[in-house]
Amino acid sequence: MARIILVLFFLSGATSLVFETIFTRLLTYTFGNTAHAVSTVLAAFLGGLALGAYIFGRIVDRWAPSLWIYGILEVLVALYGLLVPSLFAGLTTVYVDLYHRFDLSLTTLTAVRFCLAGVVVLIPTVLMGGTLPALARYVVRRKSALANEITLLYTVNIIGAASGTLISTYLFLPHLGVQRTIWLACGVNGLIFLAVAAISSRQKAEVETPDEAPTPPAEELPVASYPQVRAVLLIAAILTGALALIYEVIWTHVLAFLVGNTVYAFGMMLFTFLCGLAIGARVVATRLSKSSLGVPALIISQIALGLAVLLTVPLWNRVPDLFQNGIPGALEHVTLGVGFLILLRVIVLVVRLRRRMRNSKSDAGGLTKTTVEFAVWILALFALLASDKAWIWTQESTPFVIAELLRFFSAFYLIIIPAVLIGLGFPLLLNLYARLGGGVGRRVGGIYAANTLGSIGGAVAAGFFLVPLFGSLPTLRGAAVINIAIGVLFAATLAGLSVSRRWLIAAVSTTTAVLLCLVIPSWDPVRLTRGSYVYFNEGWPIDELLYFKEDTQGGLTSVIRSGPNRILLSNGKFQGNNTGEVPEQIRMALIPLIFTRQFDRALVIGLGTGNTLRAMSHFPFGRIDVAELAPHIVEAAREWFEDVNDGVFDRDPRVNLQITDGRNLLLLSRDPYDLISIEVTSIWIAGEADLYNKEFYELCLRQLKPGGILQQWVQIHHMPTRDLLVILNTAAQVFPHLAFFYGTEQGILIASDQPLETDFNLIRSFDNDPNIRKELETLNIGSLFSLLGDLVLHEDTFRKAVAELPKVSDLPADFVSTDFLPFLEYQTPKGNSLPYNTVPVNLNFLRQFMPPSLPPIRNLPSENDLNLIYGYIATERKDFLAAREFLGRVGNPLSARAMAELERIEEMEKEVTPP
């Protein structure tokens, strides 16, 4: 096969995965960043591929097998890609309109999402699905080695897909954004068409033979003699496709709480999985292409896959240990990982050298090439182990690169052997099916469509049913047992073995699987929930695991006891506790209420322990909507944190709790809000940065009443000043009035379409409310006005701070993070591996712009009241000298309040003064 054809199909695979990544990203903006939405998009994408393979498999057998068909499919994909941004904008409008017009239920809404996703991705995916049968028919016309050529095509396409995943995750989308990445992918597809045109123009006219498959080898019989073989192979393609996607879903799900759940981590996991498929396909193309090896290899690969999955179960418990010694420790593990790969390659070369030395006369060129490569790898291994690695730390990007390499090797060594065995399955089936009678395009398209339909079933079953109902480990073990059963089925139906041998294989395989399930240790819940991967430390010290449940929406939810603390974790990441974090969450709830003017409707995105919601419920809102993505977060908060949330989401009729994506709830909401409060765990988690993009702020502005308040948690720790300013600048490009408050290692963004002012009478009434009074006592403050002491940016000073963006970075003054340029999605994960503490750096920067005066206070009765307010603020800022001065000016009837604040100051000074 001409190398140029392989290169072109490699590029086809790369652009297909780039488009799949972009389609998923854009559709989750509309449908919500939920596992169900992602599974829906994946099912629609795979459905298009299956339909395309089926349709074009028949078309190319009826038409002349010209290379032009492949080229036309690629250029049509490119032309469609140019329309993607406009199509997805229209999709959002239709989606919202259908929801409002028909008042859709959750089940109906899921079906609508699938149909709408199918509408926009059907055309390009059908075209993509047609490329393999189209190119296979063309190649087979020109070559006699039918199965080997088709398998080689599939191999390079998978390698391209893996490369497309890696390069789009780490290069194109972070630096070019969605729009320019689409243009680039469309350009590559266009170049493929031009290359096809050039190749076709140089080829001489050929007389087409009748539409027949190449004559099968003598030992094979036409399919008409074996109708059951066709059925078995098609069923096998469906089952292996389903199991492959079940494994992928489970591995991605579990690795998210073991190695990370950033956008990079998900890309790395998919890349590793595709690498395994590519290696398996290459083995089939180069070592198992003979027809006599197909059936035995298929039987062995399926049984070995099941056994490999079961045998690797205990290794998952060791993953958290790899992350517990910081970035320097990670470098040691990465060095070992690279060294082991080099060693494997050296072993392969030794075997190859010995073989070629025996045939040195007939293969002198191959011997020389292998010898040179062997020497190069030996030198590389020596350099890796012997070199001084001090120079590595001189590079700014080093910690992030090391962190990502550790995540890669953790995933690679866990799943590469099962993934390679999965990669053997479809190419072997493709080889066997391609040798049956009938048109080549129809055979390739049919088996490819069957395998892809199975993949759809596996993705939907794992995401919607298996993991939620049974959990990851039982589902993984069940899939492994099914793989072993499939291998036994192949032995019984395809291998032509005697009855006794069939029973022997079945008995040995079943007994081994049962023994492994019983003997091999299960996953250790304590290890899995440690969260070592987050900041590369030992993770949470766990005295007792109180709650441990998983779902595909929120991943792993757990509650641990560590000393006197009960801590809520999501994928090992802190969500809240019943001790030290309680005051900070109360503070977050109270700060926006200083500026809130009306109290009809409020929206809380992110439930956590429910403490913020409980504090907010003390205020006179008529309705409080709550959006929480993970159902088990709600269950854990209800069971283990009632002392924190007071059961507010069950006892308060005003609270409307929904298990949904917050952005999607806001998109579908009909009625505007007076307050939108957002408390996500961390910006760097995949999908969370969508709530900090310009389009989301515009959505919030549309859904707020005039004078309504947006309040949003902003990470200060592990956050470079540049990224912090991008967040603030993005909000400032949408909202005309803004403020920023500082808490403990976190900030609170306040935004509105009208000036941020407080109403004295309203605040005074809240201060006198018994329930709110208790919250103030928990914070050890005298008034809601005290919280103004946490104000660091307000209106003009906010604008002055964000104007510094070009000075602290190479970004322009108007730079923002958007859905089409998701800067924060790809930059904030790098903060977790920074070698310095960003909190003091960010605070020192922000405090340069502290406002010289207070926000305007309406209905302020007198100078007496103003002095009391200033006293509260100075106390909150720990400026006790200024506080005493202001409070000393307060006379009757407020002197009792001033005296109470002075007594509080004395108590605070005793706490900080050593005895």
Side-chain angles (χ1 to χ4, degrees):
M1 183 187 303
R3 290 185 178 181
I4 185 63
I5 299 297
L6 293 178
V7 171
L8 294 180
F9 210 44
F10 169 88
L11 294 174
S12 294
T15 57
S16 296
L17 258 291
V18 169
F19 279 121
E20 195 270 341
T21 301
I22 289 173
F23 289 161
T24 301
R25 172 169 290 278
L26 295 180
L27 284 169
T28 53
Y29 289 148
T30 299
F31 296 156
N33 190 38
T34 67
H36 289 170
V38 172
S39 296
T40 299
V41 175
L42 179 61
F45 189 89
L46 293 173
L49 294 179
L51 184 61
Y54 182 83
I55 292 174
F56 285 98
R58 278 149 180 75
I59 289 176
V60 297
D61 278 340
R62 294 186 179 183
W63 291 2
S66 169
L67 189 61
W68 278 104
I69 297 177
Y70 166 64
I72 290 171
L73 292 175
E74 291 293 340
V75 77
L76 289 176
V77 171
L79 294 174
Y80 187 90
L82 296 174
L83 303 175
V84 163
S86 300
L87 289 172
F88 277 84
L91 174 74
T92 302
T93 302
V94 172
Y95 173 66
V96 175
D97 183 67
L98 287 174
Y99 177 80
H100 288 166
R101 181 169 298 183
F102 298 104
D103 194 21
L104 301 177
S105 65
L106 178 60
T107 303
T108 309
L109 189 62
T110 300
V112 168
R113 287 169 177 165
F114 178 80
C115 293
L116 291 177
V119 167
V120 294
V121 306
L122 185 64
I123 293 176
T125 52
V126 165
L127 298 172
M128 294 173 194
T131 57
L132 179 60
L135 200 54
R137 182 66 181 92
Y138 167 78
V139 168
V140 168
R141 183 196 63 164
R142 302 177 61 84
K143 295 280 186 178
S144 60
L146 167 62
N148 186 48
E149 297 298 327
I150 297 175
T151 304
L152 190 56
L153 277 176
Y154 174 78
T155 301
V156 298
N157 193 250
I158 291 295
I159 295 173
S163 302
T165 300
L166 192 67
I167 200 169
S168 62
T169 300
Y170 285 91
L171 182 62
F172 290 161
L173 287 173
H175 298 286
L176 300 179
V178 173
Q179 181 70 74
R180 284 183 287 183
T181 300
I182 291 174
W183 292 343
L184 181 61
C186 292
V188 171
N189 283 100
L191 289 175
I192 292 174
F193 172 76
L194 294 177
V196 166
I199 294 170
S200 299
S201 65
R202 293 177 182 176
Q203 290 176 348
K204 296 180 180 180
E206 299 179 1
V207 179
E208 299 295 338
T209 58
D211 188 23
E212 298 176 351
T215 304
E219 72 271 17
E220 296 177 343
L221 295 174
V223 71
S225 303
Y226 294 98
Q228 71 274 19
V229 174
R230 179 190 294 271
V232 169
L233 293 179
L234 287 175
I235 293 172
I238 293 172
L239 291 176
T240 55
L243 290 169
L245 261 291
I246 289 174
Y247 286 130
E248 182 188 350
V249 169
I250 293 174
W251 288 337
T252 302
H253 170 72
V254 178
L255 285 170
F257 50 81
L258 287 182
V259 306
N261 52 354
T262 68
V263 64
Y264 292 113
F266 287 117
M268 186 66 76
M269 294 170 206
L270 180 57
F271 169 73
T272 304
F273 181 74
L274 291 173
C275 281
L277 299 188
I279 294 171
R282 176 175 169 77
V283 169
V284 173
T286 57
R287 295 286 183 266
L288 301 175
S289 59
K290 293 182 180 180
S291 59
S292 59
L293 299 177
V295 171
L298 191 60
I299 295 170
I300 294 172
S301 68
Q302 295 304 303
I303 295 176
L305 172 57
L307 296 177
V309 169
L310 294 175
L311 286 169
T312 55
V313 165
L315 298 180
W316 295 76
N317 289 326
R318 311 304 305 178
V319 174
D321 297 338
L322 302 176
F323 293 84
Q324 68 181 10
N325 295 320
I327 296 298
L331 178 59
E332 295 179 6
H333 295 307
V334 168
T335 302
L336 290 175
V338 175
F340 187 69
L341 283 182
I342 294 175
L343 184 61
L344 287 177
R345 182 59 181 167
V346 168
I347 292 172
V348 170
L349 290 174
V350 168
V351 174
R352 188 178 298 173
L353 268 174
R354 293 185 63 183
R355 185 175 67 248
R356 286 181 169 171
M357 287 176 69
R358 289 195 296 265
N359 304 310
S360 58
K361 292 183 179 180
S362 60
D363 191 18
L367 176 61
T368 302
K369 181 180 178 181
T370 305
T371 304
V372 172
E373 185 181 353
F374 175 78
V376 169
W377 283 114
I378 288 292
L379 289 174
L381 182 60
F382 176 78
L384 179 71
L385 299 177
S387 63
D388 179 10
K389 302 177 183 63
W391 63 271
I392 293 177
W393 303 109
T394 63
Q395 307 300 314
E396 183 179 354
S397 59
T398 290
F400 174 70
V401 173
I402 292 173
E404 292 306 296
L405 286 174
L406 180 60
R407 299 185 209 280
F408 166 70
F409 283 117
S410 299
F412 182 84
Y413 287 114
L414 270 177
I415 71 173
I416 191 62
I417 293 177
V420 169
L421 293 170
I422 292 172
L424 294 174
F426 178 69
L428 288 170
L429 290 169
L430 182 62
N431 278 0
L432 293 171
Y433 201 75
R435 290 187 168 91
L436 302 178
V440 172
R442 183 176 303 175
R443 282 175 277 160
V444 173
I447 195 77
Y448 185 56
N451 187 256
T452 309
L453 285 174
S455 300
I456 296 172
V460 172
F464 283 84
F465 305 109
L466 297 177
V467 174
L469 290 176
F470 305 109
S472 297
L473 184 56
T475 302
L476 192 67
R477 283 175 165 166
V481 171
I482 292 174
N483 265 122
I484 294 173
I486 291 175
V488 173
L489 175 65
F490 289 160
T493 57
L494 299 177
L497 300 176
S498 63
V499 175
S500 60
R501 289 189 176 182
R502 294 177 191 176
W503 279 107
L504 178 63
I505 292 174
V508 171
S509 300
T510 303
T511 302
T512 304
V514 171
L515 287 175
L516 289 177
C517 289
L518 294 175
V519 174
I520 295 293
S522 297
W523 288 341
D524 183 350
V526 173
R527 284 180 171 270
L528 297 186
T529 202
R530 279 169 52 191
S532 302
Y533 73 89
V534 178
Y535 300 123
F536 287 79
N537 55 27
E538 294 185 358
W540 296 101
I542 302 175
D543 296 327
E544 184 181 2
L545 184 64
L546 304 173
Y547 182 93
F548 182 90
K549 289 188 179 180
E550 55 180 320
D551 59 73
T552 51
Q553 302 286 50
L556 174 64
T557 301
S558 52
V559 178
I560 65 172
R561 184 180 62 80
S562 180
N565 306 312
R566 266 182 282 112
I567 303 172
L568 176 64
L569 302 175
S570 176
N571 295 317
K573 178 68 179 65
F574 181 83
Q575 295 286 322
N577 61 25
N578 67 329
T579 52
E581 191 68 16
V582 170
E584 290 304 318
Q585 292 173 338
I586 294 173
R587 187 183 304 273
M588 181 169 182
L590 298 184
I591 283 176
L593 297 166
I594 300 172
F595 304 102
T596 305
R597 303 178 182 183
Q598 300 181 63
F599 293 86
D600 293 329
R601 298 182 75 225
L603 170 63
V604 178
I605 296 179
L607 175 66
T609 60
N611 185 33
T612 301
L613 173 63
R614 178 196 56 79
M616 190 179 294
S617 70
H618 296 321
F619 293 80
F621 288 103
R623 176 187 174 101
I624 305 176
D625 293 330
V626 183
E628 172 53 55
L629 187 64
H632 287 137
I633 288 287
V634 178
E635 185 176 284
R638 180 177 284 118
E639 291 184 16
W640 291 101
F641 292 94
E642 188 174 1
D643 57 333
V644 172
N645 58 54
D646 199 23
V648 62
F649 36 81
D650 293 322
R651 64 168 177 77
D652 194 329
R654 300 172 301 158
V655 174
N656 174 37
L657 177 61
Q658 300 183 48
I659 306 299
T660 187
D661 174 76
R663 177 166 173 166
N664 195 247
L665 183 148
L666 201 57
L667 177 67
L668 298 176
S669 178
R670 298 188 182 194
D671 301 317
Y673 292 98
D674 300 296
L675 172 64
I676 298 174
S677 175
I678 305 168
E679 184 178 2
V680 299
T681 56
S682 291
I683 303 174
W684 51 265
I685 295 174
E688 302 286 14
D690 297 348
L691 303 183
Y692 296 81
N693 286 345
K694 184 179 180 181
E695 290 83 355
F696 177 72
Y697 287 129
E698 291 172 341
L699 175 61
C700 289
L701 184 62
R702 291 195 302 270
Q703 296 291 7
L704 283 170
K705 292 180 181 178
I709 300 296
L710 168 67
Q711 175 261 326
Q712 187 175 43
W713 176 88
V714 176
Q715 182 176 321
I716 298 292
H717 63 90
H718 297 87
M719 174 72 66
T721 303
R722 178 200 60 183
D723 297 352
L724 175 62
L725 286 179
V726 169
I727 295 172
L728 302 184
N729 198 40
T730 302
Q733 297 295 321
V734 176
F735 286 92
H737 302 282
L738 305 106
F740 192 77
F741 289 75
Y742 170 70
T744 303
E745 296 192 349
Q746 63 186 12
I748 298 173
L749 173 67
I750 304 294
S752 180
D753 66 334
Q754 295 184 11
L756 295 172
E757 302 175 345
T758 63
D759 186 291
F760 179 86
N761 293 332
L762 194 60
I763 299 298
R764 177 57 58 85
S765 67
F766 290 153
D767 283 348
N768 292 329
D769 183 282
N771 290 321
I772 298 175
R773 196 73 230 158
K774 291 180 181 178
E775 306 298 336
L776 299 180
E777 291 171 0
T778 301
L779 296 180
N780 193 26
I781 58 177
S783 167
L784 283 173
F785 281 119
S786 302
L787 297 174
L788 291 175
D790 298 329
L791 182 67
V792 290
L793 301 176
H794 179 252
E795 302 289 18
D796 291 341
T797 62
F798 193 104
R799 303 280 174 185
K800 289 179 181 179
V802 298
E804 297 292 306
L805 179 60
K807 297 180 182 179
V808 301
S809 68
D810 57 353
L811 301 175
D814 60 348
F815 185 84
V816 297
S817 183
T818 69
D819 289 350
F820 278 82
L821 185 58
F823 176 86
L824 294 170
E825 179 88 20
Y826 288 92
Q827 292 301 319
T828 52
K830 298 178 181 180
N832 286 3
S833 54
L834 286 175
Y836 64 93
N837 184 0
T838 65
V839 174
V841 175
N842 287 326
L843 282 181
N844 290 336
F845 173 82
L846 293 172
R847 283 170 177 163
Q848 301 176 69
F849 306 96
M850 288 189 68
S853 60
L854 289 176
I857 302 175
R858 299 188 305 274
N859 303 316
L860 186 64
S862 66
E863 188 75 15
N864 209 27
D865 293 279
L866 183 59
N867 283 325
L868 181 60
I869 292 172
Y870 278 133
Y872 286 141
I873 294 172
T875 303
E876 176 68 7
R877 291 177 176 173
K878 304 297 188 295
D879 187 354
F880 298 140
L881 183 63
R884 284 192 171 93
E885 181 179 346
F886 285 117
L887 294 171
R889 301 174 188 172
V890 177
N892 290 326
L894 301 176
S895 56
R897 292 177 180 265
M899 288 299 298
E901 191 68 8
L902 287 169
E903 291 175 1
R904 181 178 290 107
I905 291 174
E906 291 180 4
E907 291 297 323
M908 294 170 68
E909 287 179 327
K910 290 179 181 178
E911 292 177 2
V912 299
T913 303

